[in-house]
Amino acid sequence: MALFQVLKFEGPASVLVWKHPKTEMNTGSQLVVGPAQEAVFVRGGNICDVLGPGTHTLDTSNIPILSKLISLPFGRKSPFTAEVFFINRLDVLDVKWGTARHIQLRDPVYQVAIPLRAFGRYGVRVEDSARFLRRLTGGARSFTSQDLADYLRGVMSGRVEEELSRYLLEHKICFLEASAHLTEIGDGVSRALEPVFEEYGIRLVSFRVSSVNAPEGDPSVRKLREVLDKRHEMDALRFSYQQDRSFDVLEEAAQNLGIGGGAAGLGAGAALGSALSGMVRDMVQPAGQKYCGGCGAAMGMDDAFCSKCGKPAGGGAFCPKCGAAVQPGSLFCGKCGQALGDTQS
């Protein structure tokens, strides 16, 4: 029977667990355990001992557990059989993860059902070699970080789905704005996953959410983007719903006036243009700016009289319906579209 004198790690550097191919050895053999490694002895499916970094002489005098493995009294060269697993305890920081399916989430801001996906990376370190070997690897000849990711994919997807949904709903964040909160979401998922990894003898040393997205071709996503584009347009112009409707009223009035033609139509069109210009001016005016009710000129907030026409502040014509100031000669109110006729002063 061939008896090996030196046992050491000879597997790929990327594996978390590597099983030595030989199981026959004898007391007096040398076991070499590298930095950030541990060697686990297994006999009959039971873990017998765990040895840390260093060179170990397999002898019952310094490794008492070997007395349970040796059955024949051959002295110092007693042969025995056992499985030796080398555990890599270095930090493995580039394990990819992704949700296994779309997460159906009703957007908390716009109440539209959105199918979301999330992706990222995490880092792990084997903290308890015996537990890790017992719970995850069994008798496998090797076990990689990808094997770990595949094994825990379902558990991770569930935790990511729960935490992502909880965070967006609790903070009322639209999924399109989730990219600004990836760190906070990742921290929440990490806290939820830590006890799960501990059950397998693993420490979660880092967790990062790289992206939260939805398929661009999904009808609900297109609908939500249209809503947001419209909102941003209106915010940029300082629109309100009432001002938006005023444009519609003025446009319709302009078309009706155009039908009559002639000088009256031209005069009305000019007045309508003046009113429309005033309305746009009101929408984009700086905060705190006021205008003369008589001629429409800009006035200082403390001016008591208009420097252009001399009218007192607050003077001029007003709409009989909404009370807004209107320029002389205007046929319609720039705020609500009320026809003015001869009611203005």
Side-chain angles (χ1 to χ4, degrees):
M1 179 172 61
L3 302 178
F4 279 76
Q5 301 304 311
V6 178
L7 298 95
K8 62 181 180 179
F9 178 83
E10 298 173 355
S14 59
V15 300
L16 295 174
V17 177
W18 181 78
K19 178 183 178 182
H20 199 283
K22 302 300 181 180
T23 60
E24 297 178 347
M25 58 200 78
N26 64 321
T27 55
S29 295
Q30 300 289 308
L31 175 67
V32 180
V33 183
Q37 289 183 352
E38 285 186 336
V40 181
F41 280 89
V42 177
R43 175 76 177 273
N46 296 315
I47 293 176
C48 299
D49 206 352
V50 179
L51 302 179
T55 300
H56 306 272
T57 299
L58 303 184
D59 193 294
T60 56
S61 62
N62 55 23
I63 308 178
I65 195 67
L66 290 181
S67 61
K68 297 182 179 181
L69 304 179
I70 300 173
S71 57
L72 299 176
F74 283 105
R76 183 170 175 78
K77 299 299 182 181
S78 298
F80 63 93
T81 61
E83 296 175 315
V84 179
F85 292 86
F86 288 88
I87 311 298
N88 179 6
R89 298 192 62 192
L90 287 172
D91 289 355
V92 181
L93 302 176
D94 196 30
V95 186
K96 297 179 181 179
W97 66 267
T99 50
R101 57 186 176 84
H102 286 100
I103 304 170
Q104 291 296 329
L105 174 68
R106 180 169 293 278
D107 189 272
V109 179
Y110 298 100
Q111 299 301 308
V112 178
I114 301 293
L116 297 182
R117 293 289 303 274
F119 301 90
R121 299 173 185 271
Y122 64 92
V124 295
R125 178 174 65 244
V126 177
E127 198 80 351
D128 187 327
S129 296
R131 183 184 299 176
F132 179 64
L133 192 65
R134 187 182 301 115
R135 294 293 305 274
L136 281 178
T137 65
R141 186 166 297 279
S142 68
F143 194 84
T144 68
S145 59
Q146 186 57 53
D147 294 328
L148 175 66
D150 292 340
Y151 189 90
L152 296 177
R153 189 183 306 279
V155 175
M156 293 192 62
S157 292
R159 293 296 193 280
V160 170
E161 179 175 345
E162 292 173 5
E163 182 60 25
L164 176 60
S165 301
R166 183 201 66 77
Y167 190 88
L168 295 183
L169 292 173
E170 182 176 307
H171 296 275
K172 298 188 183 305
I173 297 172
C174 171
F175 92 93
L176 293 173
E177 300 169 349
S179 59
H181 303 270
L182 296 182
T183 299
E184 294 89 342
I185 295 172
D187 290 344
V189 176
S190 180
R191 288 190 294 269
L193 285 174
E194 283 174 358
V196 176
F197 277 75
E198 288 176 3
E199 292 179 7
Y200 296 97
I202 308 169
R203 181 180 177 186
L204 185 64
V205 297
S206 65
F207 187 90
R208 184 163 61 92
V209 181
S210 301
S211 67
V212 175
N213 55 59
E216 292 296 329
D218 187 85
S220 57
V221 177
R222 290 201 304 269
K223 178 180 178 181
L224 183 53
R225 288 195 182 279
E226 290 173 2
V227 170
L228 286 177
D229 288 344
K230 179 64 175 177
R231 189 193 74 175
H232 293 156
E233 256 180 55
M234 297 177 73
D235 287 347
L237 293 174
R238 299 181 65 191
F239 257 150
S240 68
Y241 175 76
Q242 185 178 18
Q243 288 168 331
D244 197 15
R245 288 293 302 140
S246 297
F247 271 124
D248 294 339
V249 171
L250 289 170
E251 182 179 3
E252 182 179 353
Q255 292 174 350
N256 292 338
L257 288 170
I259 295 174
L266 291 174
L272 183 61
S274 176
L276 185 59
S277 174
M279 183 166 62
V280 173
R281 176 207 66 201
D282 290 342
M283 286 189 295
V284 298
Q285 63 178 313
Q289 179 68 63
K290 69 177 182 179
Y291 296 87
C292 174
C295 67
M299 296 178 62
M301 293 301 295
D302 298 327
D303 291 349
F305 297 90
C306 175
S307 60
K308 296 293 184 181
C309 66
K311 286 194 175 184
F318 298 91
C319 173
K321 182 177 180 181
C322 67
V326 294
Q327 296 188 27
S330 298
L331 297 181
F332 298 90
C333 173
K335 294 293 184 182
C336 67
Q338 170 70 29
L340 300 177
D342 297 328
T343 60
Q344 57 178 318
S345 58

